[in-house]
Amino acid sequence: MKILRYLLTATSLLPASYAMADATTYPVNLTNCGVEISVASAPEQTVTVGQSATEILYSLGLADRVNGTSVWFNPVLPQYAEANDEIERIANDDPSFEAVVNKRPDLVAAQYEWHVGPTGSVASRDQFHELGINTYIMPADCDTKDNSTGDDGTRTAAFSTDSIYKGITELAEIYDVQDAGEVLITDLTAREQRAIDLASSLDLPQDLSAAFWFSSTDLGVSPFVAGQLGAPGYMMEKLGIRNVIESDDEWPTVGWESIARADPDVLVIASMDRRRFPADDIEAKREFLRSDPVTREMNAVKNNRIVEMDAHAMSATMRTIYGLESLAEALSNMSFNE
């Protein structure tokens, strides 16, 4: 009934000319992150390993098909808080293989290959498949990306939101909720364009530059910053901002002295609930930037051009579009007259 109510509400917002999508024909056969999968019927029980997969399933009206979640960076989107409270969070970070299997899922939907992949920290896909459990990895983590390089992987081409829409489309087909998928994509593409249009309407400097700081293993050491081709690179390119970090790695470590020499006009810093590293704390980030003798001399710090963004939006996820919106809005309230 929950799915039916969602679809009735969502489709009532569509123009009269909108054609309903065809029902799924099973089995659904896909090549997903280089692995052939075959889904015989719509999954009834799903465990998610990663907030991206969780929130997309919720956005498709499928919260009642999720019986376990894990790997959270930020609070769930407010509109799904009530539904999320009813679903077991089996781990805030990496769950064990046993904890996932014990939920008896039909499908494990993961955000990152490094959790569920060839050398997954949770398990390999083969380990799940041997137990008759299907796996699906969000395409945003493998399309235009080489995860064999270790750590967070290296982009082989620029991230595009097309990979987000591909994941939504494929999950909607797997669960036979194609209409909900099309409604969601329509909403996200409209939000994406509005953010781009807002930035285009602003009188921004010709060579506006920025850097994105995700976290650091300790305050003062080289931070994890966004490379050229990941989700933050997409945001900067769409809004006409130059990324001062030239690496193609997803999250390279770069010394603060090098960042200070590049002197970005804007610093975007990640806010998260996770506390794996000291710099996960947003207030610790701010205090470091204000007090460190190198960082406090940066123009972005001296002029308070520091933007807080949900960490989850800095990853290649549906929330990247929310991050694009928040960055465009922040730029609209900034002064660049030093």
Side-chain angles (χ1 to χ4, degrees):
M1 289 300 294
K2 187 184 300 180
I3 297 172
L4 179 59
R5 286 197 302 272
Y6 176 89
L7 289 175
L8 288 172
T9 301
T11 55
S12 70
L13 302 176
L14 296 172
S17 60
Y18 179 82
M20 297 289 282
D22 292 336
T24 296
T25 300
Y26 293 99
V28 175
N29 299 308
L30 296 171
T31 302
N32 171 242
C33 290
V35 175
E36 301 294 327
I37 63 171
S38 182
V39 182
S41 60
E44 293 294 330
Q45 297 196 121
T46 308
V47 170
T48 55
V49 182
Q51 189 168 349
S52 175
T54 309
E55 290 186 333
I56 285 177
L57 291 176
Y58 291 173
S59 298
L60 293 172
L62 296 167
D64 56 354
R65 307 286 188 94
V66 180
N67 65 324
T69 72
S70 57
V71 189
W72 289 84
F73 287 98
N74 293 103
V76 70
L77 290 168
Q79 61 267 40
Y80 305 122
E82 185 177 350
N84 188 65
D85 286 344
E86 300 300 315
I87 299 168
E88 181 182 357
R89 182 176 295 196
I90 58 178
N92 287 324
D93 294 312
D94 297 13
S96 68
F97 177 58
E98 292 76 14
V100 175
V101 170
N102 285 344
K103 298 300 293 182
R104 301 187 182 281
D106 305 308
L107 178 77
V108 173
Q111 179 172 340
Y112 298 116
E113 267 197 307
W114 65 273
H115 281 135
V116 180
T119 57
S121 63
V122 176
S124 69
R125 300 183 78 169
D126 284 344
Q127 285 176 276
F128 285 114
H129 296 172
E130 287 168 2
L131 297 177
I133 300 170
N134 250 315
T135 59
Y136 183 85
I137 313 298
M138 299 309 300
D141 192 55
C142 56
D143 287 3
T144 72
K145 189 172 178 218
D146 180 5
N147 289 313
S148 68
T149 60
D151 297 324
D152 294 305
T154 301
R155 288 280 167 187
T156 57
F159 160 79
S160 164
T161 49
D162 288 348
S163 62
I164 302 298
Y165 303 141
K166 176 182 175 181
I168 293 170
T169 299
E170 291 183 341
L171 285 172
E173 182 183 10
I174 286 170
Y175 287 88
D176 195 17
V177 290
Q178 289 93 324
D179 294 301
E182 292 186 16
V183 170
L184 178 58
I185 291 171
T186 297
D187 175 64
L188 292 172
T189 52
R191 295 177 69 160
E192 185 177 9
Q193 190 59 52
R194 283 196 298 270
I196 294 167
D197 291 344
L198 172 59
S200 297
S201 72
L202 303 175
D203 185 21
L204 298 174
Q206 286 285 327
D207 191 33
L208 183 64
S209 62
F212 279 60
W213 177 18
F214 189 84
S215 191
S216 310
T217 56
D218 205 350
L219 290 164
V221 304
S222 296
F224 297 107
V225 288
Q228 289 277 330
L229 301 178
Y234 148 83
M235 291 186 225
M236 287 184 269
E237 190 273 328
K238 290 297 183 183
L239 301 183
I241 304 170
R242 176 175 58 86
N243 186 358
V244 301
I245 307 302
E246 297 182 353
S247 173
D248 289 343
D249 287 350
E250 193 85 338
W251 291 102
T253 54
V254 179
W256 281 115
E257 293 80 4
S258 297
I259 298 170
R261 280 195 298 272
D263 202 15
D265 299 305
V266 178
L267 276 173
V268 185
I269 59 177
S271 172
M272 69 187 84
D273 289 353
R274 187 192 79 172
R275 289 296 181 268
R276 181 176 294 177
F277 304 130
D280 288 349
D281 187 332
I282 192 76
E283 290 307 319
K285 284 187 178 81
R286 284 190 170 276
E287 177 57 30
F288 171 77
L289 291 171
R290 290 191 297 259
S291 61
D292 182 80
V294 173
T295 59
R296 70 189 182 196
E297 297 303 318
M298 297 166 63
N299 275 318
V301 178
K302 289 195 292 186
N303 292 287
N304 197 32
R305 291 197 292 264
I306 299 172
V307 179
E308 293 185 14
M309 183 180 290
D310 284 352
H312 194 43
M314 291 189 184
S315 295
T317 69
M318 180 177 73
R319 285 229 202 165
T320 296
I321 295 162
Y322 295 29
L324 184 75
E325 290 178 311
S326 66
L327 182 54
E329 184 64 31
L331 292 174
S332 73
N333 292 306
M334 283 183 187
S335 171
F336 295 93
N337 299 317
E338 298 174 6

